[in-house]
Amino acid sequence: MNNRLRSVVIGFFALTLVLLVTVSAAAPLPSWRDGPAKQSVIRFVDRISNAGSPAYVPEPERIAVFDNDGTLWSEKPLYFQFIYALDEVRRMAPQHPEWQHEAPFASILKGQAVAALAADPKALLEVVAATHAGMTTDAFNASVQRWLAQARHPRTKRAYTGMVYQPMLELLGYLRDNGFKTFIVSGGGIDFLRAFSWKSYGIPPEQVVGSSLKEKYAHRDGRPVLIKLPELNFIDDGPGKPVGIHQYIGRRPIFAAGNSDGDLQMLEWTTAGAGPRLGLIVHHTDAQREWAYDRHSKIGHLDKALNQAKSQGWTVVDMEKDWTVIYPPAKH
Amino acid sequence: MNNRLRSVVIGFFALTLVLLVTVSAAAPLPSWRDGPAKQSVIRFVDRISNAGSPAYVPEPERIAVFDNDGTLWSEKPLYFQFIYALDEVRRMAPQHPEWQHEAPFASILKGQAVAALAADPKALLEVVAATHAGMTTDAFNASVQRWLAQARHPRTKRAYTGMVYQPMLELLGYLRDNGFKTFIVSGGGIDFLRAFSWKSYGIPPEQVVGSSLKEKYAHRDGRPVLIKLPELNFIDDGPGKPVGIHQYIGRRPIFAAGNSDGDLQMLEWTTAGAGPRLGLIVHHTDAQREWAYDRHSKIGHLDKALNQAKSQGWTVVDMEKDWTVIYPPAKH
């Protein structure tokens, strides 16, 4: 009995030791090459986690915000939500014979989406209204889920949710492991994002900030529903991002990641706060494995924010050099 | 050595046993008398926590929403935020000599606040604009903090944050101990609420939904700021509450607590979802220890929601009978 007890206790300690060693041996951010970007992230997290240091940040204040398009997943040849809207126009066309003759729908149905939307600034809103409004929030969510399950990207042939960035998934997890609450702060539609944010990023719906339409409370067949209206509520882009952060989160983040000038004010607002802050820009430099673009691209336009990165001390991630992989392993 | 080991192991098991017994002996909701209200809450939490049962709700979906005025703290003789606004008008009056002659400020400065605001539906918005806008979000937060630290309620002589309901603090804690994420969903101003929600309720700013003004991103003295504008952004009341819940939280709660007809749609929306749901109404029945009012009160008007409570199966809390205390022990 005594010997058995001793074995149990010794076995228990040995197991604990093995577990401790395993955990500390799992180095963070495995898809990030050792270099200045990875080092600045790890140094920042170490600094704000060190309870003895004046740079220490208590857990509830560890708020990290991430842009989505071009920061957490790809955005070429068009924002994926926009591809969804065009697919929806095609799917809904049989119920809308008038679209064959009406701008911008007629051009979209002829395969001239970009021309149709460039011709008229109101065209995009019309497409959004036709495909994102006039239905319940539940119906919209189901529609996005259905599309995400079936649609494939024209170049990679992957599901769109298969085009999230593996290194950014690791970054989200690393921050959460260190007591951060992670949020999406995107120019994309809040309800579109919520259809996959939990499954793809581990970010729950209540931690998603995005652009939105107005909504109305109503009853249908005696049951309460929320109807999405064809009227803009909020544009969460550019100077709208700090506003969205304040309205939805109510405190200033200490970490922000973006990839375009639409993230400039979010990076500014985050890093202008007192104490240690990290601003991070994902720079699309990898024409081989993803896309390479910045100052001359309409989608993901990165110019002013890249200029400011140096003076502001923001970390610029060079996708080609800093990341060993882009996407998670493909599912078979 | 063997004997020492054995003692250590036995000691450890004994300690564990003592801890287990202590924890389970700390009965929940100590300020709630045993009765149908307390029982329905405990039964609900037990049902949704039972991993084997079809009623089981996974932790991320355990969303609980609470109205604030009249549900988490008192609201008489006026909503406390409104008392703040009137105090601010008086404090700011020396810098606004024109207010001596301008409605509604002149009447407020003469002590006729209610008459001034009843005379003109736009008056309240003017008072809010004068006292809640034209400043940075940081300055507003500091102003509310200062007021909360100094102001005392005319009848109880307590700080306003001393007039939160002790039984509701226990309910918030009990739900959180059982894996719930607790949110405020109030008609009050979101930035006003955030000035005390963490300290008073343990609810962080990102879990507060409320009415809001529009805000603008700007630079002052070379530093980015958010300016509160004198323009309504969102009214989180009545049918606005389910809209606010969807916009901010993005999923339907399984638990909602309110006290007035302004909470009717929130209760409806919450309890119309599939699976077990709990709707709870705090009924102000205690003229002695708090206030007694419902159908004939302008503030905290409770009429339709009280009628619907029975048919909908909502739990009605009788403050006089169900609560052994109203407020936390006063600080000396």
Side-chain angles (χ1 to χ4, degrees):
Chain A
M1 173 64 177
N2 283 342
N3 278 339
R4 270 176 65 200
L5 257 182
R6 181 192 254 161
S7 318
V8 167
V9 171
I10 290 171
F12 178 76
F13 278 106
L15 188 67
T16 309
L17 210 68
V18 166
L19 283 170
L20 278 172
V21 169
T22 312
V23 168
S24 58
L29 308 176
S31 303
W32 293 64
R33 285 205 185 86
D34 270 321
K38 179 174 180 168
Q39 282 160 18
S40 81
V41 169
I42 293 177
R43 207 180 320 119
F44 170 74
V45 170
D46 285 348
R47 276 187 73 197
I48 64 102
S49 314
N50 181 348
S53 127
Y56 177 73
V57 178
E59 290 209 4
E61 290 164 31
R62 295 184 196 169
I63 303 288
V65 291
F66 289 79
D67 169 59
N68 183 51
D69 295 308
T71 300
L72 294 180
W73 74 357
S74 292
E75 58 183 349
K76 291 278 183 176
L78 291 172
Y79 298 126
F80 295 170
Q81 185 178 1
F82 193 44
I83 300 178
Y84 162 76
L86 298 176
D87 283 354
E88 281 293 285
V89 167
R90 282 183 283 266
R91 191 183 65 79
M92 294 160 75
Q95 283 82 54
H96 293 271
E98 74 281 8
W99 284 358
Q100 301 295 333
H101 314 288
E102 265 178 19
F105 303 101
S107 313
I108 291 170
L109 295 173
K110 284 181 201 134
Q112 301 155 350
V114 179
L117 295 158
D120 178 3
K122 280 184 296 180
L124 181 58
L125 192 56
E126 280 179 62
V127 173
V128 168
T131 55
H132 288 61
M135 69 193 90
T136 68
T137 49
D138 286 347
F140 179 74
N141 180 57
S143 165
V144 176
Q145 302 271 10
R146 205 164 46 228
W147 180 79
L148 286 171
Q150 294 165 359
R152 293 295 176 268
H153 186 275
R155 197 171 92 179
T156 67
K157 311 297 177 208
R158 283 174 173 246
Y160 289 96
T161 50
M163 294 176 72
V164 300
Y165 303 135
Q166 174 64 29
M168 295 304 279
L169 297 182
E170 294 167 8
L171 177 54
L172 287 168
Y174 174 60
L175 291 175
R176 288 193 291 256
D177 287 347
N178 285 280
F180 279 77
K181 215 165 176 177
T182 54
F183 288 78
I184 292 174
V185 176
S186 166
I190 193 164
D191 284 344
F192 183 84
L193 289 156
R194 284 168 170 163
F196 64 97
S197 66
W198 176 249
K199 245 181 164 171
S200 293
Y201 305 131
I203 294 180
E206 63 269 23
Q207 287 162 222
V208 175
V209 182
S211 298
S212 55
L213 298 176
K214 289 200 185 294
E215 286 159 357
K216 187 179 72 173
Y217 185 69
H219 286 82
R220 280 192 181 174
D221 307 322
R223 293 179 63 82
V225 291
L226 288 167
I227 311 285
K228 291 171 75 72
L229 303 177
E231 192 189 339
L232 276 175
N233 178 53
F234 179 61
I235 299 282
D236 189 47
D237 196 34
K241 288 204 174 189
V243 172
I245 287 170
H246 184 75
Q247 294 273 0
Y248 282 75
I249 307 176
R251 51 179 152 196
R252 202 191 289 229
I254 63 168
F255 178 106
N259 77 301
S260 81
D261 283 1
D263 304 311
L264 175 59
Q265 289 84 355
M266 174 170 85
L267 288 161
E268 249 182 22
W269 173 245
T270 299
T271 58
R277 308 273 160 163
L278 191 74
L280 185 141
I281 293 178
V282 175
H283 191 192
H284 291 261
T285 51
D286 197 327
Q288 197 91 37
R289 296 182 301 173
E290 208 236 3
W291 284 267
Y293 58 94
D294 45 38
R295 300 183 195 273
H296 303 294
S297 177
K298 219 171 152 64
I299 284 189
H301 183 71
L302 174 66
D303 185 38
K304 282 187 198 166
L306 198 54
N307 292 344
Q308 258 181 254
K310 206 160 210 172
S311 63
Q312 302 264 12
W314 297 335
T315 296
V316 178
V317 176
D318 182 327
M319 283 176 77
E320 190 190 19
K321 296 204 184 110
D322 285 323
W323 290 357
T324 62
V325 297
I326 304 289
Y327 302 126
K331 284 172 196 146
H332 296 286
Chain B
M1 174 64 178
N2 282 343
N3 277 339
R4 272 177 62 199
L5 257 181
R6 179 193 255 163
S7 319
V8 166
V9 171
I10 291 173
F12 178 77
F13 277 105
L15 189 66
T16 308
L17 209 68
V18 167
L19 283 170
L20 278 172
V21 169
T22 311
V23 167
S24 57
L29 307 177
S31 304
W32 293 65
R33 284 205 186 86
D34 269 323
K38 179 174 180 169
Q39 282 160 18
S40 82
V41 169
I42 292 177
R43 207 179 321 118
F44 171 73
V45 170
D46 285 348
R47 277 187 73 194
I48 65 101
S49 313
N50 182 349
S53 129
Y56 178 73
V57 178
E59 291 211 3
E61 289 164 32
R62 297 184 196 169
I63 303 287
V65 291
F66 289 79
D67 169 59
N68 183 50
D69 296 308
T71 300
L72 293 180
W73 74 356
S74 293
E75 59 183 351
K76 291 276 182 174
L78 290 172
Y79 298 127
F80 295 170
Q81 185 178 2
F82 193 45
I83 300 178
Y84 163 76
L86 298 176
D87 283 354
E88 281 293 285
V89 167
R90 281 185 282 267
R91 192 184 64 78
M92 294 160 76
Q95 284 82 55
H96 293 272
E98 75 280 9
W99 284 358
Q100 300 297 333
H101 315 288
E102 266 178 19
F105 302 101
S107 312
I108 291 170
L109 294 173
K110 284 182 202 133
Q112 301 155 351
V114 179
L117 296 158
D120 178 5
K122 280 185 297 181
L124 181 58
L125 193 56
E126 278 180 63
V127 173
V128 168
T131 55
H132 288 60
M135 68 192 91
T136 67
T137 49
D138 286 346
F140 178 74
N141 180 56
S143 165
V144 176
Q145 301 271 9
R146 207 164 44 228
W147 180 79
L148 287 172
Q150 293 165 359
R152 293 295 176 269
H153 187 276
R155 196 172 93 178
T156 66
K157 310 299 177 205
R158 283 174 172 246
Y160 289 96
T161 49
M163 294 176 70
V164 300
Y165 303 134
Q166 174 64 26
M168 295 304 279
L169 297 182
E170 294 167 7
L171 177 54
L172 287 167
Y174 174 61
L175 292 175
R176 288 194 291 255
D177 288 347
N178 284 281
F180 279 78
K181 216 167 176 175
T182 53
F183 289 77
I184 292 174
V185 176
S186 165
I190 193 166
D191 284 345
F192 184 85
L193 289 155
R194 283 167 170 164
F196 64 96
S197 65
W198 176 250
K199 247 181 163 170
S200 293
Y201 305 131
I203 295 180
E206 63 270 23
Q207 285 162 226
V208 176
V209 182
S211 298
S212 56
L213 298 176
K214 289 201 185 295
E215 287 159 357
K216 186 180 76 173
Y217 185 69
H219 286 81
R220 281 191 179 174
D221 307 322
R223 293 179 64 82
V225 290
L226 289 167
I227 311 284
K228 290 171 76 69
L229 303 176
E231 193 188 339
L232 276 176
N233 178 55
F234 179 60
I235 299 281
D236 189 47
D237 196 34
K241 287 204 174 189
V243 172
I245 287 170
H246 185 75
Q247 293 274 359
Y248 282 76
I249 306 176
R251 53 178 150 196
R252 202 191 290 228
I254 63 168
F255 178 105
N259 76 300
S260 80
D261 282 0
D263 303 312
L264 174 61
Q265 289 85 354
M266 174 170 85
L267 288 161
E268 249 182 21
W269 174 246
T270 299
T271 57
R277 307 274 160 162
L278 191 74
L280 185 140
I281 292 178
V282 175
H283 191 192
H284 292 262
T285 51
D286 197 327
Q288 196 92 39
R289 297 182 302 173
E290 208 236 5
W291 284 266
Y293 57 94
D294 46 37
R295 299 184 197 271
H296 303 295
S297 177
K298 219 172 153 63
I299 285 189
H301 184 71
L302 174 67
D303 184 38
K304 283 188 199 165
L306 196 56
N307 292 344
Q308 257 181 255
K310 206 159 210 174
S311 62
Q312 301 264 9
W314 297 335
T315 296
V316 178
V317 176
D318 182 326
M319 284 176 77
E320 191 191 19
K321 295 204 184 111
D322 285 324
W323 290 358
T324 61
V325 296
I326 305 290
Y327 302 127
K331 284 174 195 143
H332 295 287

